[in-house]
Amino acid sequence: MKVLGIETSCDETGIAIYDTENGLLAHQLYSQVKLHADYGGVVPELASRDHVRKVLPLIKAALAEAELTQKDIDAIAYTCGPGLVGALLVGSCIGRSLAFAWDVPAIGVHHMEGHLLAPMLEVNQPEFPFVALLVSGGHTQLVDVKGIGEYELLGESVDDAAGEAFDKTAKLMGLDYPGGPRLAKLAEGGRSDMFKFPRPMTDRPGLDFSFSGLKTFTANTLAASPDDDQTRADIARAFEDAVVDTLAIKCKRALEQTGRKRLVVAGGVSANKHLRQQLEQLLSKLGGHVFYPRTEFCTDNGAMIALAGAFRLQAGQQTGLAIKTFPRWPLTELAPHAE
């Protein structure tokens, strides 16, 4: 089964073709970073309009890359939530309409399920069950995964997601959008022993997260410190250390609570080098294994949507003609794969 995947949940237009027998055949991605840079963040209306311009040309490019025509496509998967409602509507309308025109089934995919399953695009795939850390600009969640659609939420952020905290803190430090990767780059030159930031909500039981207070702590530290390049790098390092340590501490708790030995880490922040190093060390000590998607599939992309859609379609699930989007959509509301 060859599945065309369409991702338009936020500020990246992703198109891919996944073959259940031969794997990923094509992958096209357009980022709107330059479009939103002047505003310091994503402007929903601009994002939606840009998806309208880019989806069809990228579908044509993906078909050409895979050396296929529309007649070779067996199904279409598209992101229908969560995300920006206008952006979701673009991908959902185009995906559902193409499926109708091409007389193939369609499936609306949960964006975070796409992230959760993205490591299965790799040769070294995780087996069920496992604990998943979904860590991005919009979500920070720990999920116990027994199988596709069998999800138990263990903990989540009560305020800012980790990626959101990275971006907002970077903005406080005067870094350009998108700030998260720039802050991580700045932190590479920082000294780890110059500032000590708190590890929020690690001094109490539970698996929830809170990162908004770190922004305030960073702002106060910046105001009380010399304004030179090395100090700024040291502060960036202290912030990154605090976020990474907090994520690692909660992952360790989740693994111990569930008895799992496998950890999946996905979402934009999963590309952070420091986070990967620390989690690899943690799982090595625990006698377990950690799995990631390759860097290009950490951020939003069509490949993960095509893959997640293929799993659902193989289980006999599909979406009707009504076009529905879900800007807010708890992962735990998804039906099990076998249902």
Side-chain angles (χ1 to χ4, degrees), residues 79-120:
T79 304
C80 63
L84 302 175
V85 64
L88 291 169
L89 278 168
V90 175
S92 297
C93 288
I94 293 175
R96 181 58 265 187
S97 299
L98 279 180
F100 179 77
W102 294 354
D103 194 24
V104 296
I107 185 79
V109 173
H110 193 292
H111 178 76
M112 296 311 294
E113 182 170 69
H115 276 304
L116 188 151
L117 297 176
M120 294 184 180

Side-chain angles (χ1 to χ4, degrees), residues 131 133 142 207 244-256 260-265 274-290 292:
V131 168
L133 172 66
L142 278 165
L207 295 172
V244 168
D245 284 353
T246 300
L247 292 172
I249 289 168
K250 295 302 178 83
C251 284
K252 182 173 185 290
R253 288 184 186 177
L255 290 164
E256 291 174 342
R260 309 293 187 213
K261 292 295 184 181
R262 288 181 288 270
L263 176 69
V264 161
V265 187
H274 188 186
L275 177 63
R276 290 193 173 208
Q277 291 171 356
Q278 190 142 330
L279 291 178
E280 285 166 6
Q281 293 172 4
L282 170 65
L283 269 295
S284 178
K285 290 179 182 178
L286 295 176
H289 301 279
V290 60
Y292 310 92

Side-chain angles (χ1 to χ4, degrees), residues 22 33 45 67 102 129 139 200 211 233 275 279 336 338:
N22 300 303
V33 165
E45 179 64 22
E67 299 182 346
W102 294 354
H139 298 82
F211 295 110
L275 177 63
L279 291 178

Side-chain angles (χ1 to χ4, degrees), residues 34-314:
K34 291 182 180 179
L35 177 66
H36 301 289
D38 290 342
Y39 305 95
V42 177
V43 180
E45 179 64 22
L46 295 180
S48 303
R49 293 184 181 191
D50 206 51
H51 287 310
V52 171
R53 287 190 287 265
K54 295 297 189 298
V55 171
L56 292 179
L58 287 177
I59 290 175
K60 293 178 181 178
L63 288 169
E65 180 187 347
E67 299 182 346
L68 300 173
T69 70
Q70 66 183 59
K71 295 180 181 179
D72 298 307
I73 299 301
D74 300 305
I76 295 178
Y78 56 89
T79 304
C80 63
L84 302 175
V85 64
L88 291 169
L89 278 168
V90 175
S92 297
C93 288
I94 293 175
R96 181 58 265 187
S97 299
L98 279 180
F100 179 77
W102 294 354
D103 194 24
V104 296
I107 185 79
V109 173
H110 193 292
H111 178 76
M112 296 311 294
E113 182 170 69
H115 276 304
L116 188 151
L117 297 176
M120 294 184 180
L121 291 163
E122 309 303 326
V123 174
N124 183 26
Q125 300 178 4
E127 295 181 0
F128 298 109
F130 54 76
V131 168
L133 172 66
L134 303 178
V135 58
S136 66
H139 298 82
T140 301
Q141 298 178 327
L142 278 165
V143 184
D144 186 31
V145 180
K146 299 180 179 67
I148 297 174
E150 298 179 69
Y151 308 132
E152 179 186 352
L153 182 64
L154 302 174
E156 61 183 339
S157 180
V158 299
D159 41 54
D160 289 350
E164 184 180 7
F166 262 100
D167 287 339
K168 289 181 177 179
T169 300
K171 192 170 185 179
L172 281 175
M173 300 184 73
L175 300 176
D176 291 336
Y177 174 84
R182 297 180 189 278
L183 189 151
K185 182 66 176 178
L186 179 61
E188 290 179 4
R191 297 167 291 186
S192 61
D193 56 350
M194 297 305 294
F195 294 94
K196 181 67 174 178
F197 281 27
R199 275 57 176 164
M201 295 184 73
T202 59
D203 58 348
R204 69 197 75 174
L207 295 172
D208 285 337
F209 303 90
S210 173
F211 295 110
S212 65
L214 283 175
K215 301 196 307 290
T216 303
F217 198 94
T218 303
N220 291 339
T221 303
L222 284 167
S225 303
D227 186 16
D228 60 77
D229 291 343
Q230 185 58 59
T231 301
R232 286 164 52 79
D234 293 340
I235 292 173
R237 175 63 184 273
F239 173 84
E240 183 182 55
D241 284 348
V243 174
V244 168
D245 284 353
T246 300
L247 292 172
I249 289 168
K250 295 302 178 83
C251 284
K252 182 173 185 290
R253 288 184 186 177
L255 290 164
E256 291 174 342
Q257 178 177 311
T258 59
R260 309 293 187 213
K261 292 295 184 181
R262 288 181 288 270
L263 176 69
V264 161
V265 187
V269 182
S270 69
N272 183 278
K273 295 177 182 178
H274 188 186
L275 177 63
R276 290 193 173 208
Q277 291 171 356
Q278 190 142 330
L279 291 178
E280 285 166 6
Q281 293 172 4
L282 170 65
L283 269 295
S284 178
K285 290 179 182 178
L286 295 176
H289 301 279
V290 60
F291 300 85
Y292 310 92
R294 72 194 78 166
T295 303
E296 64 186 307
F297 295 146
C298 290
T299 54
D300 297 348
N301 63 87
M304 68 182 192
I305 301 305
L307 174 70
F311 282 134
R312 293 284 178 176
L313 288 159
Q314 284 181 315

